[in-house]
Amino acid sequence: MHALDVLGDPVRRRILELLAEGERSSGEVSSVVRAEFGISQPAVSQHLRVLREAGFASVRAEGTRRLYAVEAAPLREVDRWLDRFRGFWEQRLDALGTELARGKRQRRLDQERGGGSGTDAEI
């Protein structure tokens, strides 16, 4: 299964978000995902299996518990793939940053001249 196919599912993305916060037991993951998505425990287990088989998550046994963690390698592959597209949004974010700085500088100059109250309501 291709990495983007794995990440295309909102349940699997949510599971990865949970695991990004730190290692979690299958029960913890299942509890959160079941509450948020209204799916069964077996369905959550299937999503965990897909993540594991695709290399996005690893599992280790600790007594009777199964602890899941994120694996970085597939995410680095996705990041490398996305790299060719970053220019599309980075230029726009840079331009936005420039405009925000320009507006902030103008408000400061207006305040120094006594020409404005300096509140964000003037924006």
Side-chain angles (χ1 to χ4, degrees):
M1 184 177 285
H2 188 275
L4 294 179
D5 293 329
V6 174
L7 297 176
D9 188 281
V11 172
R12 289 192 286 269
R13 287 194 310 269
R14 180 62 177 128
I15 291 171
L16 285 175
E17 289 170 358
L18 292 169
L19 298 179
E21 296 170 2
E23 191 175 58
R24 293 194 182 236
S25 71
S26 57
E28 288 176 274
V29 171
S30 182
S31 177
V32 171
V33 171
R34 289 173 62 205
E36 291 180 8
F37 290 90
I39 62 176
S40 67
Q41 185 278 325
V44 176
S45 293
Q46 271 300 104
H47 286 292
L48 285 167
R49 184 179 66 77
V50 169
L51 289 169
R52 210 175 49 250
E53 289 178 356
F56 281 89
S58 61
V59 64
R60 70 179 180 87
E62 186 178 87
T64 59
R65 296 174 18 156
R66 298 293 173 257
L67 299 174
Y68 284 82
V70 169
E71 288 296 323
L75 295 171
R76 282 192 292 269
E77 289 176 33
V78 171
D79 185 55
R80 278 193 298 273
W81 186 83
L82 284 171
D83 196 43
R84 71 183 88 173
F85 302 102
R86 280 195 174 78
F88 291 108
W89 64 82
E90 285 179 349
Q91 287 177 322
R92 290 183 176 107
L93 290 175
D94 289 345
L96 176 60
T98 300
E99 289 303 313
L100 290 173
R102 192 176 290 152
K104 187 175 181 179
R105 184 173 48 251
Q106 186 61 50
R107 284 191 303 278
R108 189 181 69 245
L109 290 173
D110 288 348
Q111 282 181 338
E112 290 171 1
R113 291 187 207 128
S117 64
T119 65
D120 287 340
E122 294 178 7
I123 299 174

